[in-house]
Amino acid sequence: MDAPQTLRADPIALDFALYQELLQLHADYASAVDSGRWALWPEFFTDDCVYKLIPRENHERGFPLATLAFDSKAGLLDRVYGIQETLFHDPYYQRHVVGAPVVRQVDARGIHCEANYAVLRTKLDGPSTVFNVGRYLDVVVRTAQGLKLAQRLCVYDSEMIPNSIIYPI
């Protein structure tokens, strides 16, 4: 498990208002990806972002293999196109339950924080089930459009995952 790092207040000062913005970013993200309006998802990220869905074991051992990996907003836009136009799958609804972010460090790269998440999936012909559980490891930066994710690592706990993860976690 990653050890908490000392919070430093340079160059972004973390105050109550900024923490509220961080909470809102997490809430808005969950709402967007749960709504099925996939075009909203890439807008939470910077142009040169990193987004990875990675098993906990690989993350903790420093292994680079990820289930999904994108290294730019253009990659996320391509994924949205795939979801909407080319991927064939049983449709399902998903619902995110996201814990309050814990700020681990503030430095020149941005706000380094983590938040636990659980994603529930409901297929149209069945009950809701736990789909994916883990934690977000984020680097959040201030942009002219507000707070954006420069990095989101979705580190999931289970080594067993469904045979396809279509929608963003």
Side-chain angles (χ1 to χ4, degrees), residues 15 42 56 76-77 94 97 100 103 125 127-128 143 146 151 160 167:
D15 58 14
R56 180 179 184 164
L76 302 181
L77 290 166
Q94 63 181 20
V97 179
V103 175
D125 62 349
S128 297
T143 71
Q151 174 182 285
M160 298 294 293
Y167 305 144

Side-chain angles (χ1 to χ4, degrees), residues 2-66:
D2 297 335
Q5 299 176 356
T6 304
L7 179 64
R8 297 186 327 201
D10 57 358
I12 301 172
L14 186 68
D15 58 14
F16 181 77
L18 181 56
Y19 187 74
Q20 286 297 113
E21 281 185 76
L22 191 60
L23 285 171
Q24 193 65 53
L25 176 70
H26 280 79
D28 289 344
Y29 179 96
S31 178
V33 296
D34 289 347
S35 73
R37 297 185 335 244
W38 307 117
L40 297 174
W41 177 54
E43 298 309 312
F44 288 92
F45 294 87
T46 61
D47 289 342
D48 59 348
C49 67
V50 172
Y51 175 90
K52 291 183 180 180
L53 178 61
I54 185 167
R56 180 179 184 164
E57 179 182 23
N58 287 8
H59 176 73
E60 289 178 353
R61 291 182 177 190
F63 296 160
L65 185 62

